[in-house]
Amino acid sequence: MIRLILVALFLVCFLILGIPVLLVMQLFGLANKKAKDYACLSIVQWAFKVILRISGVRTTVIGEENIPDEPVLFIGNHRSYFDILLTYSRCRRLTGYVAKKEMLRFPLLRDWMKALYCLFLDRENVREGLKTILQAIEYVKAGVSICIFPEGTRNSGAELSMLPFKDGALKIAEKSGCAIIPISINNSCQIFEAHLPFIRKTHVVIEYGAPIYTKDLDRETRKHLGDYCQNIIQETINKNADLV
């Protein structure tokens, strides 16, 4: 329980003390938007790394060299809130995450998310969902990577299982021409979700797969792109099961 309390205290302090920082960043952005964007990235990555350290999370990372130095679409399996911390703390470029619209309810947190190009998806409204995907495409074209979990929600099923991928998210890569980088995450639910409300020391394995360019795939594969990408991640999860 002590880890949960420490994480909660750190998060509250960060959000409160971050109010003047956000204001300064907004003013800074008027003079140098790129510098402001990367300053926000560094600040949030530092906070996430502190939370992971407090939580006792140890990570093994495989294939990080597969990420090209260009905007990409990250896709991964999703079993824990900590998946965002684990992956975002390693981003080398500006990266916006696609989150559920309910996150807009949380002041300060949503302000940091907006500053980091995060998008808020309305899963119940097809038209609004399409607008979010179109905005993500524009972000990629402007040089910002996007990360989305195509299962659509956290999977609370059996270990190594995955929910079906929603193909709509992959339109971001098809329409922008960017690479898809599959991310496979093993054991992240053991940090918190598997034994609520406790946070426990955990070893997590993250693997970044080889870039997938939709233009290089045959027509049939592009037609079933969600299944194709999910199979790659599923195979990697299975492969790394013995490493945790």
Side-chain angles (χ1 to χ4, degrees):
M1 184 63 75
I2 186 65
R3 288 193 180 93
L4 177 63
I5 294 172
L6 290 175
V7 167
L9 286 173
F10 176 83
L11 183 57
V12 170
C13 290
F14 174 82
L15 291 175
I16 294 175
L17 296 177
I19 295 173
V21 177
L22 275 171
L23 295 174
V24 170
M25 287 295 105
Q26 288 180 358
L27 295 174
F28 186 29
L30 297 176
N32 191 328
K33 189 173 186 303
K34 184 176 181 180
K36 168 257 183 185
D37 287 343
Y38 276 95
C40 288
L41 173 67
S42 297
I43 291 168
V44 173
Q45 286 184 323
W46 168 80
F48 282 180
K49 289 174 183 177
V50 170
I51 292 173
L52 291 171
R53 184 179 292 270
I54 293 172
S55 302
V57 177
R58 181 170 63 91
T59 57
T60 295
V61 181
I62 303 168
E64 206 163 15
E65 68 280 1
N66 285 324
I67 306 172
D69 187 19
E70 61 190 52
V72 302
L73 174 65
F74 293 106
I75 61 170
N77 60 307
H78 190 27
R79 290 183 58 81
S80 173
Y81 290 119
F82 277 83
D83 294 335
I84 292 92
L85 283 71
L86 289 160
T87 53
Y88 194 79
S89 61
R90 309 196 68 85
C91 291
R92 298 193 294 263
R93 300 177 59 94
L94 296 175
T95 304
Y97 277 54
V98 178
K100 57 187 179 181
K101 71 167 186 176
E102 287 78 7
M103 296 301 295
L104 289 168
R105 299 173 183 170
F106 303 101
L108 301 181
L109 179 59
R110 70 182 175 217
D111 296 318
W112 277 107
M113 293 177 73
K114 288 178 179 180
L116 294 166
Y117 294 93
C118 290
L119 296 167
F120 302 90
L121 182 65
D122 186 343
R123 294 174 291 187
E124 306 300 324
N125 188 317
V126 175
R127 179 173 294 181
E128 290 302 314
L130 177 59
K131 287 182 181 179
T132 302
I133 297 301
L134 292 174
Q135 182 61 70
I137 293 169
E138 291 305 311
Y139 278 171
V140 172
K141 290 180 177 179
V144 179
S145 293
I146 294 293
C147 181
I148 192 167
F149 299 106
E151 291 170 284
T153 188
R154 284 184 302 109
N155 173 21
S156 57
E159 185 68 27
L160 307 183
S161 70
M162 292 178 67
L163 301 173
F165 272 18
K166 300 182 184 301
D167 288 336
L170 302 176
K171 295 293 183 185
I172 298 169
E174 291 184 279
K175 299 299 183 182
S176 68
C178 75
I180 299 171
I181 302 296
I183 307 176
S184 308
I185 307 172
N186 284 71
N187 213 38
S188 61
C189 68
Q190 293 299 322
I191 302 172
F192 183 54
E193 283 78 5
H195 36 69
L196 296 171
F198 302 101
I199 292 177
R200 292 181 177 165
K201 293 177 66 174
T202 305
H203 176 215
V204 176
V205 177
I206 305 171
E207 180 161 348
Y208 296 88
I212 303 167
Y213 290 92
T214 58
K215 63 181 177 62
D216 295 334
L217 302 175
D218 59 67
R219 185 174 181 178
E220 189 63 23
T221 302
R222 289 200 302 270
K223 187 177 178 180
H224 303 284
L225 187 57
D227 291 340
Y228 176 76
C229 293
Q230 182 168 8
N231 287 337
I232 290 174
I233 294 175
Q234 184 69 69
E235 289 175 3
T236 309
I237 293 170
N238 294 341
K239 173 180 70 73
N240 292 336
D242 293 334
L243 297 181
V244 297

